[in-house]
């Protein structure tokens, strides 16, 4: 706001001879006291008349005297004869009008005969036009308690102080000095528009006054050493200023201030930051900024790291600043890259719980894991990194060696499961996610009870079947064949239990019923007979002969033999000499009788 009031300084007043303005001013030279001019070096304009008013010693009363005016180059301009009055005074109004010769003129008063001489100098300057200047002021803040003043110094050396309001008419070249500040305790109104010289181009002098408070900027640090004082940025007289705290300065009312957010320091891994580094100046007094001591906490980890910091959950960055005394409790949280890949935290270095009292590097050691899915109808066993364990679906460390054991799983009596296909393979190194798929084959125990090898067709392929485990669903056809032990002995199948052809869908007992047969050769005729068979050795033998079966058994015809080994029997016939003798005897007798009969005839 501007406060204005009319204040007119008349040029006539300005130019009034100083003898009327300053009646108490005098100058003495050579025993002569000058009242006008009133002092040595007084200024007059060219064309202006000068009044000579002087007092000489009483002894020269009524004497004749001269007033001499000398140009600035010391040559005589004019001599004015005068008469000293009875009191010793000389008074000559408008004694001389100065021509247009600016410079320092010398005026002398000399009593006739040169008895007494007094000298005084005046400064003759060229007349300049008056300049009308409007005076006023503005205020940033509350109103001033009083109107400020301005001091004007005119070209003739005259000085006057007036309120900074209204209008003045002054010569060009007049210098001025504005009242710089009005202070009440720790509050002041000040301006940086303080002085200058009025020229014909000057139309107004309207400085702006800023309401200011005397403020002491101070600071306090939590701890540590090696830091520099903060810089404070503030406004003074409408300008941006800086100061190193602590400092007491005048600050514009209701303006903002800013402390250095961080103290400068060459200490690595440690810093000091302001809590509230900015604000508004609302009153005089002290502002004490508090700087907290923080340490750099560096996190080395390939996964996000979560922690409870002073009781609050936070995500740690690669670089973090924490206040001295902060407690950090690291959380062991697994990072899932996908549904089949994750990073698990193995350990923290230096520890899981840290109290920040120095720069610290936290290292998070992780292990990459992949999900291994196991799709198997039986519980698989494997050597996992050399240890015998059950293989289940789960997370396994990268690089883990898994060797699946080809085991047989016994479900019950006569039934078991064996591994079929194992995909991707029986041995894997975990470098990704896998699905281990296995198939099993159900087998049933087929107990073979047979005195001879059992020849079968298994799923069309001929083989010898012993007691063994046979895959479920296997088709078995028992071949009915003769088992030759030797050319004279063999075994034949006479019965198959449960049947000659069957499909294995449960435990089975395959029993072959056999009969051992032996080759029996009788009189060159060979035939196999079951072991234990009874054979009657019959033969038709003439009565005159005798016969015997010679071979395995030496028996007579009609004898019964038991087959329990290969048998060879041959009928051997020979004359029956007894019968033949009897017959011969009969014949002889008959012949004799006939002969006798014949002879008797």
């Amino acid at each position: 706001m501007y406060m204005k009031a009319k204040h007119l300084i008349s040029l006539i007043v300005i130019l009034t001879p100083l003898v009327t303005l300053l009646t108490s001013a005098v100058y003495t030279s050579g025993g002569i006291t000058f009242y006008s001019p009133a002092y040595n070096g007084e200024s007059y304009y060219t064309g202006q008349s000068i009044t000579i008013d002087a007092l000489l010693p009483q002894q020269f009363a009524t004497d004749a005297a001269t007033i001499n005016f000398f140009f600035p180059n010391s040559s005589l301009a004019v001599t004015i004869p005068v008469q000293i009055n009875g009191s010793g005074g000389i008074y000559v109004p408008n004694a001389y009008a100065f021509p247009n010769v600016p410079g320092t003129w010398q005026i002398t008063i000399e009593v006739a005969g040169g008895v007494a001489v007094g000298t005084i100098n005046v400064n003759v300057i060229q007349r300049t036009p008056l300049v009308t200047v409007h005076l006023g002021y503005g205020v940033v803040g509350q109103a001033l308690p009083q109107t400020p003043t301005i001091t004007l110094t005119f070209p003739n050396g005259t000085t006057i102080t007036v309120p900074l309001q209204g209008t003045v008419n002054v010569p060009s070249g007049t210098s001025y000095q504005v009242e710089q500040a009005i202070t009440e305790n720790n509050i002041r109104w000040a301006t940086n528009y303080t002085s200058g010289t009025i020229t014909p181009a000057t139309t107004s002098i309207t400085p702006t006054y800023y309401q200011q408070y005397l403020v002491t900027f101070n600071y306090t640090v939590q701890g540590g050493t090696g830091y520099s004082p903060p810089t404070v940025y503030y406004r003074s007289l409408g300008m941006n200023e800086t100061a190193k705290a602590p400092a007491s300065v005048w600050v514009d009312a209701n303006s903002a201030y800013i402390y250095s957010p961080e103290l400068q320091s060459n200490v690595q891994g440690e810093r000091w930051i302001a809590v509230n580094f900015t604000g508004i100046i609302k009153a005089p007094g002290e502002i004490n900024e508090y700087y907290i001591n923080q340490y750099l906490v560096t996190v080395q980890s390939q996964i996000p790291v979560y922690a409870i910091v002073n009781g609050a959950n936070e995500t740690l960055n690669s670089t973090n600043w924490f206040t001295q005394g902060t407690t950090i409790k690291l959380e062991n949280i697994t990072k899932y890259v996908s549904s089949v890949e994750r990073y698990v935290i193995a350990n923290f270095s230096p520890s899981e719980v840290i109290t920040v009292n120095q720069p610290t590097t936290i290292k998070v050691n992780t292990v990459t894991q992949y999900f291994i899915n196991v799709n198997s109808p039986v519980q698989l066993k494997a050597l996992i990194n050399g240890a015998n364990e059950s293989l289940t679906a789960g997370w396994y460390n990268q690089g883990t060696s898994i060797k699946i054991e080809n085991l047989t799983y016994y479900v019950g009596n006569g039934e078991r499961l064996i591994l079929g296909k194992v995909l991707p393979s029986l041995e894997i190194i975990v470098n990704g996610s896998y699905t281990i798929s296995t198939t099993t084959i159900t087998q049933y125990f087929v107990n073979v009870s047979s005195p001879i090898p059992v020849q079968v067709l298994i799923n069309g392929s001929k083989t010898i079947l012993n007691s063994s485990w046979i895959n479920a669903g296997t088709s078995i056809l028992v071949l009915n064949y003769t088992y030759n032990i030797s050319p004279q002995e063999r075994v034949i199948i006479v019965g198959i239990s449960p049947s000659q052809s069957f499909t294995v869908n449960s435990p089975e007992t395959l029993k072959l019923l056999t009969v051992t047969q032996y080759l029996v050769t009788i009189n060159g005729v060979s035939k196999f007979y079951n072991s234990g068979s009874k054979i009657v050795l019959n033969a038709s033998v003439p009565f005159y002969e005798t016969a015997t079966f010679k071979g395995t058994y030496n028996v007579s015809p009609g004898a019964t033999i038991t087959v329990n080994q290969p048998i060879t029997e041959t009928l051997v016939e020979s004359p029956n000499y007894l019968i033949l003798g009897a017959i011969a005897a009969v014949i002889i007798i008959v012949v004799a009788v006939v002969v006798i009969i014949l002879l008797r005839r």
Side-chain angles (χ1 to χ4, degrees):
M1 75 186 261
Y2 287 92
M3 301 187 65
K4 298 182 178 179
K6 293 183 178 180
H7 184 78
L8 180 61
I9 301 176
S10 172
L11 179 61
I12 298 174
V13 174
I14 296 172
L15 299 179
T16 300
L18 291 180
V19 68
T20 61
L21 294 175
L22 303 170
T23 56
S24 61
V26 295
Y27 178 75
T28 301
S29 174
I32 300 174
T33 300
F34 290 88
Y35 292 95
S36 176
Y39 58 92
N40 192 46
E42 185 175 351
S43 296
Y44 288 85
Y45 289 113
T46 58
Q48 181 181 355
S49 295
I50 185 171
T51 296
I52 302 299
D53 185 4
L55 181 63
L56 284 70
Q58 185 64 35
Q59 66 195 57
F60 300 116
T62 71
D63 288 350
T66 57
I67 303 172
N68 303 306
F69 290 84
F70 295 91
F71 287 113
N73 62 3
S74 300
S75 61
L76 181 64
V78 65
T79 297
I80 302 174
V82 295
Q83 186 71 37
I84 301 172
N85 63 26
S87 300
I90 296 175
Y91 181 74
V92 183
N94 300 319
Y96 181 70
F98 291 105
N100 190 19
V101 181
T104 300
W105 287 61
Q106 187 181 71
I107 302 173
T108 64
I109 296 177
E110 182 178 353
V111 179
V115 176
V117 178
T119 301
I120 189 169
N121 294 329
V122 294
N123 185 29
V124 177
I125 59 177
Q126 288 183 329
R127 184 182 299 276
T128 57
L130 295 179
V131 179
T132 300
V133 180
H134 299 281
L135 304 179
Y137 60 94
V139 179
V140 177
Q142 296 180 349
L144 278 73
Q146 63 192 50
T147 302
T149 62
I150 182 170
T151 298
L152 301 170
T153 301
F154 304 115
N156 64 359
T158 304
T159 299
I160 186 171
T161 298
V162 297
L164 190 59
Q165 59 186 10
T167 302
V168 294
N169 295 309
V170 295
S172 177
T174 298
S175 63
Y176 63 89
Q177 178 75 38
V178 173
E179 186 174 9
Q180 186 175 4
I182 298 174
T183 304
E184 287 187 348
N185 298 322
N186 291 330
I187 304 175
R188 76 173 186 177
W189 289 260
T191 182
N192 51 7
Y193 186 171
T194 58
S195 62
T197 300
I198 296 173
T199 68
T202 304
T203 59
S204 63
I205 299 174
T206 55
T208 298
Y209 284 86
Y210 292 85
Q211 183 186 14
Q212 293 188 312
Y213 297 128
L214 183 60
V215 177
T216 298
F217 290 114
N218 210 338
Y219 71 103
T220 303
V221 179
Q222 179 184 15
T225 59
Y227 51 82
S228 299
T231 299
V232 184
Y233 302 85
Y234 64 95
R235 297 278 293 182
S236 181
L237 301 178
M239 304 292 290
N240 292 326
E241 301 290 346
T242 62
K244 287 288 187 181
S248 294
V249 292
W250 288 99
V251 184
D252 292 346
N254 299 311
S255 65
Y257 69 88
I258 301 175
Y259 274 81
S260 298
E262 181 177 340
L263 298 183
Q264 296 297 315
S265 171
N266 293 324
V267 180
Q268 296 297 318
E270 186 176 6
R271 73 176 185 179
W272 294 263
I273 62 170
V275 177
N276 296 305
F277 58 86
T278 186
I280 302 297
I281 302 297
K282 295 186 176 297
E286 182 184 45
I287 296 175
N288 195 331
E289 181 61 36
Y290 185 72
Y291 285 85
I292 60 175
N293 186 205
Q294 291 189 329
Y295 292 104
L296 179 63
V297 176
T298 303
V299 177
Q300 296 178 357
S301 175
Q302 61 178 342
I303 64 172
V305 179
Y306 304 96
I308 298 176
V309 180
N310 288 339
N313 281 311
E314 290 189 20
T315 301
L316 301 186
N317 300 313
S318 57
T319 57
N320 311 266
W321 288 96
F322 289 109
T323 302
Q324 178 186 11
T326 297
T327 297
I328 301 174
K329 184 178 181 181
L330 299 168
E331 296 184 278
N332 195 332
I333 296 177
T334 299
K335 167 65 177 179
Y336 285 85
V337 180
S338 66
S339 60
V340 294
E341 182 180 359
R342 70 181 186 180
Y343 296 98
V344 297
I345 297 174
N347 55 68
F348 299 101
S349 174
S351 64
E352 185 176 352
V353 179
I354 298 169
T355 299
V356 179
N357 285 315
Q358 61 184 351
T360 303
T361 296
I362 297 174
K363 293 183 179 180
V364 180
N365 299 311
T366 58
V367 175
T368 303
Q369 291 186 333
Y370 297 101
F371 190 80
I372 303 299
N373 187 44
V374 178
N375 184 11
S376 174
V378 294
Q379 176 61 63
L380 298 178
K381 296 287 186 179
L383 293 176
I384 300 177
N385 289 335
N388 198 327
E389 298 182 24
S390 296
L391 181 61
T392 58
W395 294 93
Y396 291 84
N397 293 349
Q398 183 181 32
T400 297
S401 171
I402 300 176
K403 296 181 179 180
I404 299 172
E405 297 182 87
N406 195 352
L407 300 180
T408 300
Y409 302 85
Y410 290 87
V411 179
N413 188 24
E415 182 180 357
R416 73 179 186 179
L417 301 175
I418 63 172
L419 293 181
K421 291 183 179 180
V422 178
L423 297 175
S425 64
L426 281 172
E427 297 185 17
I428 61 173
I429 301 297
V430 178
N431 285 313
S433 178
Y434 302 97
T435 295
I436 297 176
S437 299
T438 65
T439 59
T440 57
I441 300 172
T442 302
Q443 291 186 328
Y444 296 104
F445 190 75
V446 177
N447 183 38
V448 177
S449 176
S450 173
I452 63 174
V454 178
Q455 293 186 2
V456 294
L457 291 178
I458 295 180
N459 295 331
S461 297
K462 185 178 180 181
T463 186
I464 301 296
L465 180 64
N466 297 310
S467 295
S468 59
W469 293 91
I470 305 297
N471 293 350
T474 298
S475 175
I476 297 178
L477 174 64
V478 180
L479 300 178
N480 194 340
Y481 76 103
T482 298
Y483 179 70
N484 294 304
I485 298 174
S486 68
Q488 294 81 28
E489 183 179 0
R490 71 181 184 181
V491 178
I492 63 172
I493 299 170
V494 295
I496 300 173
S497 175
S499 64
Q500 184 176 4
S501 177
F502 61 94
T503 299
V504 179
N505 286 315
S506 62
E508 296 284 353
T509 295
L510 178 61
K511 187 173 183 179
L512 269 61
L513 301 177
T514 62
V515 173
T516 302
Q517 292 183 334
Y518 296 104
L519 184 64
V520 177
T521 302
I522 299 176
N523 294 327
V525 178
S526 297
K527 182 180 179 180
F528 280 96
Y529 289 87
N530 293 345
S531 176
S533 296
K534 302 293 185 179
I535 299 175
V536 178
L537 297 177
N538 293 316
S540 178
V541 180
F543 71 94
Y544 52 85
E545 289 184 349
T546 60
T548 302
F549 282 95
K550 298 290 185 178
T552 304
Y553 299 101
N554 293 317
V555 294
S556 299
T560 299
I561 60 176
T562 300
V563 178
N564 53 21
Q565 62 180 329
I567 298 174
T568 299
E569 296 292 340
T570 302
L571 182 65
V572 178
E573 295 178 324
S574 62
N576 190 335
Y577 291 106
L578 180 60
I579 296 299
L580 289 176
I583 293 174
V586 171
I587 293 174
I588 290 172
I589 293 173
V590 170
V591 171
V593 170
V594 170
V595 168
I596 293 172
I597 293 173
L598 288 176
L599 289 178
R600 289 176 175 178
R601 286 177 178 183

